[in-house]
Amino acid sequence: MNPYLTAHAPQLGAVRRLDKFGTGQSNPTFKMTTDTGTYVLRTKPPGALLKSAHMVEREFEVMSGLAKTPVPVPAMIHLASDDTSPLGRAFFVMEHLEGRIFWDPSLPELEREERGAVYSAMADTLAALHNVDVGAVGLASFGKPGSYFSRQIDRWSRQYLASVDEADRGMTGIMEWLGLHVPDDDGQVALVHGDYRLDNMMFAPKVPEVIALLDWELSTLGHPLADLAYQCMQWRLPHSGGMRGLGGLDRAALGLPSERDYIARYCMRRGIAPPQNWGFYLVFSYFRLAAILQGVVARAKGGNASNPEAAQKYAQAIPVLIKQAVDIAHDPSEKAI
């Protein structure tokens, strides 16, 4: 590693220590201590990977593009390609930031009056992301414009089917339902994060301010409501069982906003009307997450998971996701906010 960095990123100095962050599941991430300071190294996992998965190159590109926008991201320092990396797989090095990551969406470590401000900061950051002019930041070719949901349904259907020996009947039913209910393309194109949730962002040490939005490997150009619906699954997923949802909690007593209020804050910040066809966007989000988690489970079976224990929990979560998606698909009251 040190000979490579000396040749390609001498400002980093010699690596003295690598400590793997124990959380997270997708791309292995390390705290890298060198002669010149502390950095973060993020790499693809070892072993055979599904096509287009674990693209740390895309993470580096998108965060580099966002460096001078209102969207908070760490500074990017160096990207090593699959061909040149001394690890045998691509990695990048970025700035190390000190802050807070909240793993429990009920925010038990905060006072009641502080919790709503955290959710407001999340909504504001998401709105800022979707307001980015992708052409102005060099990301106009970061994805294909138009037909986002049709392409995503096809992609994740194929990824899911490649990850299982036998497909779940509920999952295949969701695939069919989504194909029949895709809304007409309304022309909206934004930079979407793809995994926008509380524990993928870092907050300032003492104030409810987002200082870094992390884990961009699923980002692309797409429809902004995909990110919003994905975030809003958190209100519906159970809090018990390690799924990090808000389901079953008295959110008002905790000082947390309702799903409707969170959406209203986001829409206000973007200057748009509340979404229609809300049920479709929710079902799509459940389907996509189930497909992603199934890929993690498959990788764990192959011995390539970054966090095998988490993969076991994901295997238990997939049936819950499928059931909630089916219930939403059959509930006519979910069509609008």
Side-chain angles (χ1 to χ4, degrees):
M1 174 67 80
N2 279 330
Y4 172 88
L5 292 179
T6 299
H8 295 89
Q11 71 273 27
L12 294 174
V15 177
R16 298 304 181 190
R17 181 167 178 169
L18 282 173
D19 297 294
K20 188 175 184 295
F21 289 107
T23 54
Q25 175 60 34
S26 183
N27 293 324
T29 307
F30 302 83
K31 181 179 180 181
M32 185 173 79
T33 305
T34 76
D35 290 337
T36 63
T38 302
Y39 306 91
V40 174
L41 183 148
R42 187 163 165 87
T43 181
K44 293 181 180 179
L49 303 176
L50 293 173
K51 183 180 178 181
S52 77
H54 309 283
M55 296 294 288
V56 296
E57 302 93 336
R58 287 178 64 81
E59 291 191 272
F60 186 88
E61 180 183 359
V62 71
M63 285 190 280
S64 296
L66 291 171
K68 295 182 180 180
T69 73
V71 182
V73 291
M76 297 295 103
I77 299 171
H78 178 72
L79 172 66
S81 68
D82 286 327
D83 295 332
T84 63
S85 169
L87 301 179
R89 57 191 186 275
F91 71 86
F92 66 84
V93 180
M94 64 182 175
E95 174 187 17
H96 179 269
L97 295 171
E98 293 290 347
R100 299 176 293 172
I101 294 179
F102 300 118
W103 298 100
D104 186 332
S106 67
L107 302 174
E109 60 269 77
L110 299 182
E111 298 297 327
R112 184 183 186 279
E113 58 271 16
E114 297 178 287
R115 293 171 185 151
V118 167
Y119 277 80
S120 292
M122 281 196 289
D124 295 350
T125 300
L126 186 60
L129 171 62
H130 294 159
N131 283 336
V132 167
D133 182 337
V134 293
V137 298
L139 294 171
S141 60
F142 196 66
K144 297 178 181 179
S147 304
Y148 171 77
F149 289 107
S150 294
R151 288 185 286 105
Q152 286 281 300
I153 293 165
D154 177 69
R155 173 191 176 182
W156 291 109
S157 294
R158 287 186 285 106
Q159 294 270 43
Y160 171 79
L161 294 173
S163 301
V164 296
D165 296 324
E166 183 176 353
D168 182 276
R169 291 181 61 186
M171 191 66 164
T172 55
I174 291 169
M175 294 177 193
E176 294 175 4
W177 185 92
L178 287 169
L180 293 171
H181 291 83
V182 178
D184 293 336
D185 191 346
D186 59 9
Q188 293 191 59
V189 178
L191 179 61
V192 296
H193 181 271
D195 196 12
Y196 196 85
R197 63 177 196 258
L198 177 62
D199 53 286
N200 272 339
M201 56 193 74
M202 181 178 288
F203 287 78
K206 295 183 179 180
V207 295
E209 175 187 346
V210 181
I211 61 171
L213 181 54
L214 304 168
D215 199 355
W216 290 85
E217 70 164 293
L218 295 173
S219 60
T220 187
L221 297 187
H223 200 289
L225 292 183
D227 266 348
L228 181 63
Y230 184 89
Q231 165 87 90
C232 287
M233 284 193 299
Q234 193 159 65
W235 274 261
R236 296 159 180 265
L237 292 171
H239 185 262
S240 59
M243 293 193 70
R244 299 179 187 166
L246 294 171
L249 299 180
D250 187 339
R251 296 185 284 276
L254 291 170
L256 302 175
S258 66
E259 178 184 320
R260 184 181 296 271
D261 288 341
Y262 183 85
I263 293 170
R265 171 94 182 196
Y266 165 86
C267 292
M268 182 268 293
R269 288 293 187 182
R270 292 202 61 217
I272 62 174
Q276 301 299 309
N277 298 311
W278 187 235
F280 170 84
Y281 301 117
L282 285 171
V283 173
F284 167 78
S285 297
Y286 276 96
F287 151 76
R288 180 174 165 276
L289 180 56
I292 291 170
L293 297 189
Q294 188 62 59
V296 174
V297 172
R299 211 163 56 247
K301 291 180 178 178
N304 294 326
S306 175
N307 187 335
E309 292 183 4
Q312 294 178 3
K313 294 181 180 178
Y314 293 164
Q316 298 172 357
I318 292 169
V320 177
L321 295 171
I322 293 173
K323 182 181 186 306
Q324 288 198 351
V326 171
D327 289 346
I328 293 169
H330 288 90
D331 187 348
S333 68
E334 296 284 6
K335 290 185 178 180
I337 297 298

